[in-house]
Amino acid sequence: MTITPRSSPPVHGLGAPVPGGVADRLTTDVLVVGGGLGGVAAALSALEAGRRVVLSEEYAWLGGQLTSQGVPLDEHSWVEQFGVTARYRRLRDGIRDYYRRCYPLTEEARGETALNPGNGMVSRLCAEPAVGVAVLEAMLAPHRAAGRLQVLQPAVPVRARTEGDRVRDVTLRLEGPGREVTVAADYVIDATELGDLLPLTGAEYVTGFESRDQTGEPSAPEQAQPGNQQAFSWCFVVDHVEGEDHTIDPPHDYEQWRTKQPDYWGAPMLSLTGPDPRTLETLTRTFTPHAQTADQVADQAQNPGDRELWTFRRILDRANFRPGAYPSDVVLVNWPMIDYLDGTLVDVDPEEALAHQAAARRQSLSMLYWLQTEAPRADGGKGFPGLRLRGDLTQGPDGLAMAPYIRESRRLLTVGTVTETDLSIEHKGHARPFTTHDSVGVGMYRVDLHPSTGGDNYLDIASTPFEIPLGILVPRRLENLLPAGKNVGTTHITNGAFRLHPVEWNIGEAAGSLAAFCLERAVTPRAVQATDGLLTEFQSVLTNTGVELHWPDVVGY
């Protein structure tokens, strides 16, 4: 059966060879659709297990939320000691080493074992998107050279063919030339940002907010709200050059964005005032170009880091570099003020999705224009005309990030589900880790839900550290489709703790390793999850490749 959902873009016929020497039909062991962090991790783990991989990606950069979406690593408090996979640590070490090799660091900064190029307060490793791209490409380079990895990019899935409960092949359209490539694979991994393969393959999935009856979650609504999803955001990068004027032209609907004010916001969204995610009290933040963090260390357990917006997601701190090397710090803007609340990108007509994306970009550009012309200054004046949009560092439309920052995807219906009652410290009555017999990794983040398209304010819940159950990667029906991103078996609520960088990476590693394991043993993912001997063997494989399956004696926050 071939499934082409109504929302797929127009397609072209097969036939002529795809430019660049790619045949119009490929066969591989593992097809990974989506080259974000989960997709790259899935490809790496399958490749290092000796499998052939085809990896596709919609945008010009691999890396997803870290690169094309522009967001520096969001991580837990113990990341420098434990709680991530060995491959993820290779990524982090690679980013630091790249700066040491290629940038004019001060001797003090060069000697920092835990170098934080941006000294941002959201993470202990804030860096430029393009550096993440370079390191990810370097990690994949040996496999490309050996011919085990073929990357199709930019490419989007347009059709899938299934027989019974198996996915036989997926057709990808290469953007630009408009050619199609059909890839047949033993295992297909959906690592797209929105779970794009789920409707294409006929997989059972859910969107938005489940009902309390469905999940048993105390924070869930009485009725399911499939269209109620977390806001997405279109991020951008700025620096500030004193004495220069880089004011942009305002979007045509600037006045609309300037006055937009949800009931719960406490002020217009284009301001420094809005809800505190953890308390919901109205909070006015500060914005001070070239503010310093002194000896503060990013630690989400102690401080969300968002009180001073200049340092919140700063990705280059000029104090780390030789005097005069850079005229300014460089800051990534991913703030509440650019959360797009007026629509979703999931299961809507393609033209509607494009309209929402364009509106989100105008909202972000309106925020920049407001900062340049109206933001309050410490001297009593208004506006920072020296703010410069650094589209050269992001290479996206309108000078913004290459892709929208996605917080919520379609979610596959799987044999296991993680719910609020598994993670909530308040509900559990303690902050010790959530454990599961079928652990394939670990993660930790507060349940952090941004305002939603259904009119909900933040939902921010103190969470325990957690083990990642294999059951949330195993579909209830399909035999050879695996998720490797935000499309795993969480709920709308627990997605808020699973959607960040190190957990997505760990999920991707587990998916790629599982596909390779199943091919070697001629078993199914469902059998691995349900059979004690196979599960123990698979967990040993993960442990031997540097995946941590359990937490030490720590508590959540």
Side-chain angles (χ1 to χ4, degrees), residues 162-168 186-188 201 203-204 412 473-482 514-515 518 523-527:
T162 63
E163 292 179 2
D165 293 335
R166 294 189 63 82
V167 181
R168 291 302 181 188
D186 295 307
Y187 276 86
V188 175
T201 59
E204 294 78 13
L412 185 66
L473 276 71
V474 179
R476 294 182 185 176
R477 181 180 59 82
L478 289 172
E479 295 178 354
N480 68 331
L481 176 71
L482 296 171
L514 181 61
C518 290
V523 296
T524 65
R526 192 172 297 109

Side-chain angles (χ1 to χ4, degrees), residues 15 74 97 196 246 449 498 536:
D74 268 302
D97 289 345
D196 292 335
H246 294 280
L449 298 184
F498 275 70
T536 299

Side-chain angles (χ1 to χ4, degrees), residues 232 234 252-253 257 340 342-345 348-363:
F232 71 91
W234 214 297
H252 68 82
D253 51 357
W257 296 111
Y340 181 77
D342 293 344
T344 176
L345 304 179
V348 297
D349 183 89
E351 293 303 317
E352 181 180 346
L354 288 173
H356 287 315
Q357 291 188 27
R361 292 198 298 273
R362 294 197 304 274
Q363 179 177 349

Side-chain angles (χ1 to χ4, degrees), residues 99-101 103-112 115 322:
Y99 277 94
R100 293 188 184 103
R101 292 196 316 271
Y103 280 67
L105 292 165
T106 65
E107 288 307 309
E108 181 181 5
R110 190 177 304 279
E112 283 285 342
L115 171 66
R322 290 199 294 266

